[in-house]
PDB file of all heavy atoms in Angstrom:
ATOM      1  N   LYS O  66     -57.388 194.311 181.119  1.00  0.00           N
ATOM      2  CA  LYS O  66     -56.353 193.450 180.561  1.00  0.00           C
ATOM      3  C   LYS O  66     -56.530 193.403 179.060  1.00  0.00           C
ATOM      4  O   LYS O  66     -57.652 193.331 178.537  1.00  0.00           O
ATOM      5  CB  LYS O  66     -56.469 192.039 181.116  1.00  0.00           C
ATOM      6  CG  LYS O  66     -56.155 192.003 182.658  1.00  0.00           C
ATOM      7  CD  LYS O  66     -56.260 190.579 183.161  1.00  0.00           C
ATOM      8  CE  LYS O  66     -55.904 190.512 184.622  1.00  0.00           C
ATOM      9  NZ  LYS O  66     -55.995 189.103 185.178  1.00  0.00           N
ATOM     10  N   LYS O  67     -55.393 193.418 178.339  1.00  0.00           N
ATOM     11  CA  LYS O  67     -55.486 193.346 176.884  1.00  0.00           C
ATOM     12  C   LYS O  67     -54.721 192.111 176.381  1.00  0.00           C
ATOM     13  O   LYS O  67     -53.674 191.721 176.889  1.00  0.00           O
ATOM     14  CB  LYS O  67     -54.944 194.585 176.240  1.00  0.00           C
ATOM     15  CG  LYS O  67     -53.452 194.937 176.536  1.00  0.00           C
ATOM     16  CD  LYS O  67     -53.047 196.244 175.830  1.00  0.00           C
ATOM     17  CE  LYS O  67     -51.591 196.523 176.058  1.00  0.00           C
ATOM     18  NZ  LYS O  67     -51.147 197.763 175.365  1.00  0.00           N
ATOM     19  N   PHE O  68     -55.293 191.498 175.377  1.00  0.00           N
ATOM     20  CA  PHE O  68     -54.743 190.297 174.785  1.00  0.00           C
ATOM     21  C   PHE O  68     -54.731 190.443 173.262  1.00  0.00           C
ATOM     22  O   PHE O  68     -55.704 190.933 172.681  1.00  0.00           O
ATOM     23  CB  PHE O  68     -55.554 189.061 175.154  1.00  0.00           C
ATOM     24  CG  PHE O  68     -55.736 188.869 176.667  1.00  0.00           C
ATOM     25  CD1 PHE O  68     -56.864 189.438 177.288  1.00  0.00           C
ATOM     26  CD2 PHE O  68     -54.813 188.165 177.394  1.00  0.00           C
ATOM     27  CE1 PHE O  68     -56.999 189.262 178.676  1.00  0.00           C
ATOM     28  CE2 PHE O  68     -54.953 188.001 178.759  1.00  0.00           C
ATOM     29  CZ  PHE O  68     -56.081 188.550 179.408  1.00  0.00           C
ATOM     30  N   GLY O  69     -53.656 190.025 172.682  1.00  0.00           N
ATOM     31  CA  GLY O  69     -53.588 190.079 171.184  1.00  0.00           C
ATOM     32  C   GLY O  69     -52.370 190.804 170.686  1.00  0.00           C
ATOM     33  O   GLY O  69     -51.324 190.870 171.377  1.00  0.00           O
ATOM     34  N   GLY O  70     -52.524 191.475 169.553  1.00  0.00           N
ATOM     35  CA  GLY O  70     -51.433 192.219 168.951  1.00  0.00           C
ATOM     36  C   GLY O  70     -51.679 192.330 167.438  1.00  0.00           C
ATOM     37  O   GLY O  70     -52.655 191.861 166.905  1.00  0.00           O
ATOM     38  N   ASN O  71     -50.762 193.023 166.787  1.00  0.00           N
ATOM     39  CA  ASN O  71     -50.851 193.171 165.307  1.00  0.00           C
ATOM     40  C   ASN O  71     -52.203 193.832 164.933  1.00  0.00           C
ATOM     41  O   ASN O  71     -52.802 193.433 163.904  1.00  0.00           O
ATOM     42  CB  ASN O  71     -50.628 191.881 164.593  1.00  0.00           C
ATOM     43  CG  ASN O  71     -49.256 191.290 164.882  1.00  0.00           C
ATOM     44  OD1 ASN O  71     -48.267 192.005 164.865  1.00  0.00           O
ATOM     45  ND2 ASN O  71     -49.173 189.985 165.078  1.00  0.00           N
ATOM     46  N   GLY O  72     -52.661 194.730 165.759  1.00  0.00           N
ATOM     47  CA  GLY O  72     -53.878 195.440 165.401  1.00  0.00           C
ATOM     48  C   GLY O  72     -55.205 194.765 165.722  1.00  0.00           C
ATOM     49  O   GLY O  72     -56.238 195.275 165.415  1.00  0.00           O
ATOM     50  N   SER O  73     -55.108 193.622 166.437  1.00  0.00           N
ATOM     51  CA  SER O  73     -56.312 192.879 166.793  1.00  0.00           C
ATOM     52  C   SER O  73     -56.241 192.578 168.307  1.00  0.00           C
ATOM     53  O   SER O  73     -55.325 191.843 168.742  1.00  0.00           O
ATOM     54  CB  SER O  73     -56.490 191.620 165.988  1.00  0.00           C
ATOM     55  OG  SER O  73     -57.682 190.957 166.352  1.00  0.00           O
ATOM     56  N   TRP O  74     -57.224 193.084 169.104  1.00  0.00           N
ATOM     57  CA  TRP O  74     -57.171 193.011 170.520  1.00  0.00           C
ATOM     58  C   TRP O  74     -58.462 192.504 171.179  1.00  0.00           C
ATOM     59  O   TRP O  74     -59.579 192.809 170.610  1.00  0.00           O
ATOM     60  CB  TRP O  74     -56.821 194.385 171.081  1.00  0.00           C
ATOM     61  CG  TRP O  74     -55.529 194.898 170.643  1.00  0.00           C
ATOM     62  CD1 TRP O  74     -55.245 195.692 169.530  1.00  0.00           C
ATOM     63  CD2 TRP O  74     -54.227 194.662 171.282  1.00  0.00           C
ATOM     64  NE1 TRP O  74     -53.909 195.942 169.411  1.00  0.00           N
ATOM     65  CE2 TRP O  74     -53.255 195.343 170.487  1.00  0.00           C
ATOM     66  CE3 TRP O  74     -53.828 193.956 172.389  1.00  0.00           C
ATOM     67  CZ2 TRP O  74     -51.859 195.335 170.815  1.00  0.00           C
ATOM     68  CZ3 TRP O  74     -52.457 193.936 172.708  1.00  0.00           C
ATOM     69  CH2 TRP O  74     -51.549 194.640 171.910  1.00  0.00           C
ATOM     70  N   ILE O  75     -58.301 191.876 172.315  1.00  0.00           N
ATOM     71  CA  ILE O  75     -59.386 191.622 173.229  1.00  0.00           C
ATOM     72  C   ILE O  75     -59.114 192.380 174.470  1.00  0.00           C
ATOM     73  O   ILE O  75     -58.089 192.244 175.107  1.00  0.00           O
ATOM     74  CB  ILE O  75     -59.575 190.120 173.514  1.00  0.00           C
ATOM     75  CG1 ILE O  75     -59.847 189.319 172.211  1.00  0.00           C
ATOM     76  CG2 ILE O  75     -60.697 189.902 174.531  1.00  0.00           C
ATOM     77  CD1 ILE O  75     -59.908 187.802 172.464  1.00  0.00           C
ATOM     78  N   LEU O  76     -60.065 193.254 174.906  1.00  0.00           N
ATOM     79  CA  LEU O  76     -59.902 194.086 176.108  1.00  0.00           C
ATOM     80  C   LEU O  76     -60.946 193.628 177.071  1.00  0.00           C
ATOM     81  O   LEU O  76     -62.138 193.558 176.813  1.00  0.00           O
ATOM     82  CB  LEU O  76     -60.100 195.557 175.755  1.00  0.00           C
ATOM     83  CG  LEU O  76     -59.247 196.094 174.618  1.00  0.00           C
ATOM     84  CD1 LEU O  76     -59.635 197.600 174.368  1.00  0.00           C
ATOM     85  CD2 LEU O  76     -57.761 195.967 174.899  1.00  0.00           C
ATOM     86  N   ILE O  77     -60.522 193.292 178.302  1.00  0.00           N
ATOM     87  CA  ILE O  77     -61.420 192.798 179.372  1.00  0.00           C
ATOM     88  C   ILE O  77     -61.180 193.566 180.648  1.00  0.00           C
ATOM     89  O   ILE O  77     -60.042 193.664 181.104  1.00  0.00           O
ATOM     90  CB  ILE O  77     -61.204 191.324 179.646  1.00  0.00           C
ATOM     91  CG1 ILE O  77     -61.410 190.484 178.331  1.00  0.00           C
ATOM     92  CG2 ILE O  77     -62.137 190.832 180.745  1.00  0.00           C
ATOM     93  CD1 ILE O  77     -61.066 189.034 178.502  1.00  0.00           C
ATOM     94  N   GLY O  78     -62.243 194.192 181.191  1.00  0.00           N
ATOM     95  CA  GLY O  78     -62.108 194.899 182.440  1.00  0.00           C
ATOM     96  C   GLY O  78     -63.125 196.039 182.565  1.00  0.00           C
ATOM     97  O   GLY O  78     -64.244 195.889 182.112  1.00  0.00           O
ATOM     98  N   ASP O  79     -62.743 197.137 183.210  1.00  0.00           N
ATOM     99  CA  ASP O  79     -63.626 198.194 183.514  1.00  0.00           C
ATOM    100  C   ASP O  79     -64.274 198.785 182.228  1.00  0.00           C
ATOM    101  O   ASP O  79     -63.534 199.208 181.313  1.00  0.00           O
ATOM    102  CB  ASP O  79     -62.907 199.308 184.302  1.00  0.00           C
ATOM    103  CG  ASP O  79     -63.842 200.456 184.588  1.00  0.00           C
ATOM    104  OD1 ASP O  79     -64.697 200.341 185.485  1.00  0.00           O
ATOM    105  OD2 ASP O  79     -63.709 201.511 183.995  1.00  0.00           O
ATOM    106  N   ALA O  80     -65.587 198.823 182.151  1.00  0.00           N
ATOM    107  CA  ALA O  80     -66.307 199.233 180.933  1.00  0.00           C
ATOM    108  C   ALA O  80     -65.926 200.651 180.535  1.00  0.00           C
ATOM    109  O   ALA O  80     -65.753 200.964 179.368  1.00  0.00           O
ATOM    110  CB  ALA O  80     -67.786 199.016 181.137  1.00  0.00           C
ATOM    111  N   ALA O  81     -65.951 201.558 181.518  1.00  0.00           N
ATOM    112  CA  ALA O  81     -65.683 202.955 181.207  1.00  0.00           C
ATOM    113  C   ALA O  81     -64.290 203.132 180.656  1.00  0.00           C
ATOM    114  O   ALA O  81     -64.075 203.962 179.725  1.00  0.00           O
ATOM    115  CB  ALA O  81     -65.887 203.845 182.495  1.00  0.00           C
ATOM    116  N   GLU O  82     -63.340 202.423 181.219  1.00  0.00           N
ATOM    117  CA  GLU O  82     -61.956 202.540 180.696  1.00  0.00           C
ATOM    118  C   GLU O  82     -61.792 202.020 179.299  1.00  0.00           C
ATOM    119  O   GLU O  82     -61.106 202.638 178.458  1.00  0.00           O
ATOM    120  CB  GLU O  82     -61.000 201.806 181.661  1.00  0.00           C
ATOM    121  CG  GLU O  82     -59.538 202.202 181.462  1.00  0.00           C
ATOM    122  CD  GLU O  82     -58.609 201.580 182.506  1.00  0.00           C
ATOM    123  OE1 GLU O  82     -59.126 200.996 183.511  1.00  0.00           O
ATOM    124  OE2 GLU O  82     -57.397 201.690 182.346  1.00  0.00           O
ATOM    125  N   ILE O  83     -62.468 200.938 178.980  1.00  0.00           N
ATOM    126  CA  ILE O  83     -62.436 200.374 177.629  1.00  0.00           C
ATOM    127  C   ILE O  83     -63.081 201.360 176.664  1.00  0.00           C
ATOM    128  O   ILE O  83     -62.546 201.652 175.591  1.00  0.00           O
ATOM    129  CB  ILE O  83     -63.177 198.979 177.563  1.00  0.00           C
ATOM    130  CG1 ILE O  83     -62.400 197.939 178.366  1.00  0.00           C
ATOM    131  CG2 ILE O  83     -63.363 198.532 176.124  1.00  0.00           C
ATOM    132  CD1 ILE O  83     -63.054 196.660 178.501  1.00  0.00           C
ATOM    133  N   LYS O  84     -64.226 201.882 177.041  1.00  0.00           N
ATOM    134  CA  LYS O  84     -64.942 202.833 176.129  1.00  0.00           C
ATOM    135  C   LYS O  84     -64.101 204.083 175.858  1.00  0.00           C
ATOM    136  O   LYS O  84     -64.040 204.537 174.737  1.00  0.00           O
ATOM    137  CB  LYS O  84     -66.292 203.203 176.761  1.00  0.00           C
ATOM    138  CG  LYS O  84     -67.405 202.227 176.624  1.00  0.00           C
ATOM    139  CD  LYS O  84     -68.742 202.810 177.088  1.00  0.00           C
ATOM    140  CE  LYS O  84     -69.877 201.895 176.765  1.00  0.00           C
ATOM    141  NZ  LYS O  84     -71.190 202.548 177.162  1.00  0.00           N
TER     142      LYS O  84
END
Side-chain angles (χ1 to χ4, degrees):
K66 294 181 179 180
K67 61 180 183 179
F68 304 92
N71 298 319
S73 181
W74 298 90
I75 300 174
L76 308 178
I77 302 174
D79 180 72
E82 193 173 355
I83 292 174
K84 282 188 171 184

